[in-house]
Amino acid sequence: MHEIIVGLDERSYPIITKNGVLDEAGEIIKQRFGMRRLIIITDENVYKGQGERLKLSLEKAGFSPVFYILPPGEATKSYPYFEEVVEAILAAKIERKDLIIAFGGGVVGDLTGFAASVVRRGVNFIQIPTSLLSQVDSSVGGKTGINSPKGKNLVGAFHQPILVLIDPTVLKTLSDRHVKAGYAEVVKYALINDMTFFEWLEINADKLSSYGEECAHIITTSCQHKADIVAEDEKEHGARALLNLGHTFGHALEALTGYSETLIHGEAIAIGMIQALNFSKKLGYCTGQDIIRVQSHFEKMGLPTHISSIEGYEFTAEEILEAMYQDKKVSDGALTFILTKGIGGAFIQKNVDPKLVLEFLNEDMKLSQTT
Ligand code: GLY
């Protein structure tokens, strides 16, 4: 069992990673928080694959769990389902000290966390993430929210969970594509400030699906990085912005592909990180050697590295730039990028000249996936 603490004074909480922890969830929750009323928010796929395990574990510990099951997919992260979840929580008579459990991937975690932040002005909630992306990123750090028709994650709140339980074996039921996409966020931590982790990933990352020590190391190292950054800068006034490496480019590509299955988040971020490296090179910060190294690693792990790999891709540099201006990271109309001096050397660059971005995007589009 690996336990990492997200250090936020009286709001500190543990991230527990262990194969099979889902079957112990009931006992762990009872030991730490006592007997409480519980509601579990999940989606149809997760409930079908893993719901019975969590239900049995909670019942064995003496809880009477109520499950609320949502349709899977990004469209669920919206106002109508937010209202549904809030009403379901109220109908289950959940009080402030009771518990709401988010049991699913990023959509369920973000929506449930947001509902938990507003019901009775804040109810305790637990994250049990079931996708690699949510295990290494979105379940930790307290960013919660839904999408607005005007953009992704534009409505939300910071609301930290009180416990995160990660069972790597639940990834066995996830599609290979979604595991790979989640892996992009793992590499992100290495690229931000951990060359040693990158070197380790180059040798060991292909053992991710063995669900052995390597998988645990991948998840816990990622969570440790996230915990450190969140403890330093919970509300993203500074260092937390580093976690947006590849996201200014990636979010624009997601927006232009309609947040659809054409390009899922981790894939967009993989392409975005290579663009961030190439943009850093153009601005004189990063060497081509490091870019080739990261690109080869992504190719080995089956991740896309260039916009030309996006099915039906036909948008222009101007459209990408326009989409960047819709992002939350725009401040006073100026673009902020996370650039890098090489693997492990990310830094925040504010007020980036849009003309340079446009020039870069036009050059980047002329490259092909394998150059
Ligand atoms: N996923 C980026 C963050 O939590 O800040």
Side-chain angles (χ1 to χ4, degrees), residues 71-88:
E74 190 71 26
T76 303
K77 226 173 107 171
S78 57
Y79 288 114
Y81 287 105
F82 172 66
E83 183 179 349
E84 262 193 29
V85 169
V86 166
E87 289 304 317

Side-chain angles (χ1 to χ4, degrees), residues 97-111:
K97 291 236 160 90
D98 291 328
L99 293 170
I100 299 171
I101 300 180
F103 181 43
V107 167
V108 166
D110 287 6
L111 170 63

